[in-house]
Amino acid sequence: MKIIQLDHLVLTVRDIQMSCDFYTRILGMQLVEFAGGRKALRFGSQKINLHQHHKEFEPKAALPTPGSADLCFLTDVPLNEVAAHLKQNQVEIIEGPVERTGAEWPILSIYLSDPDGNLLEIANRK
């Protein structure tokens, strides 16, 4: 077997509407609604499916918990513009910019939290 790409991942959240607002308004993702009113966030060729805590869909992870994710997103928007956008929207930058090692190349990153406390890293390729 050879895995070639991540198609989607699932975030368990406390409030789906609050998460939809954050990820669309702050991070520019596209809201997608599919079967049964389920919600997802599309960006590039990937998506994040949202599950409501204690109302998760089967099958599910053993311990789906809001705030347990640590995700890194790449952007081609310069980090100083990302930082200004975050500040304008009252989103605290936890750390950065700092140099990190990405999957394929060095990256420059800033860190923030989403409404559930998931750690989000926004990065530019170096």
Side-chain angles (χ1 to χ4, degrees), residues 6 9 14 40 43 69 71-72 74 88 92 106 116 120:
L6 179 68
L9 59 88
R14 288 181 187 89
F43 59 99
L71 306 170
C72 179
L74 296 175
Q88 181 181 34
E92 177 187 359
D116 286 293
L120 305 180

Side-chain angles (χ1 to χ4, degrees), residues 70-80 95-111 119-126:
D70 183 340
L71 306 170
C72 179
F73 299 107
L74 296 175
T75 182
D76 55 6
V77 175
L79 282 187
N80 63 332
E95 185 176 344
V98 293
E99 293 183 8
R100 296 291 189 240
T101 302
E104 296 186 289
W105 43 72
I107 56 177
L108 187 64
S109 302
I110 58 174
Y111 292 85
L119 182 64
L120 305 180
E121 180 179 354
I122 310 296
N124 288 153
R125 297 175 185 169
K126 284 193 66 185

Side-chain angles (χ1 to χ4, degrees), residues 42-112:
R42 186 182 319 275
F43 59 99
S45 61
Q46 292 85 37
K47 71 177 176 140
I48 298 172
N49 291 347
L50 299 176
H51 285 191
Q52 180 76 41
H53 189 46
H54 296 304
K55 296 179 184 176
E56 296 86 4
F57 297 94
E58 297 291 343
K60 64 178 186 264
L63 296 170
T65 307
S68 63
D70 183 340
L71 306 170
C72 179
F73 299 107
L74 296 175
T75 182
D76 55 6
V77 175
L79 282 187
N80 63 332
E81 292 179 31
V82 171
H85 173 72
L86 294 172
K87 183 176 180 177
Q88 181 181 34
N89 285 280
Q90 291 82 46
V91 176
E92 177 187 359
I93 294 174
I94 298 168
E95 185 176 344
V98 293
E99 293 183 8
R100 296 291 189 240
T101 302
E104 296 186 289
W105 43 72
I107 56 177
L108 187 64
S109 302
I110 58 174
Y111 292 85
L112 57 135

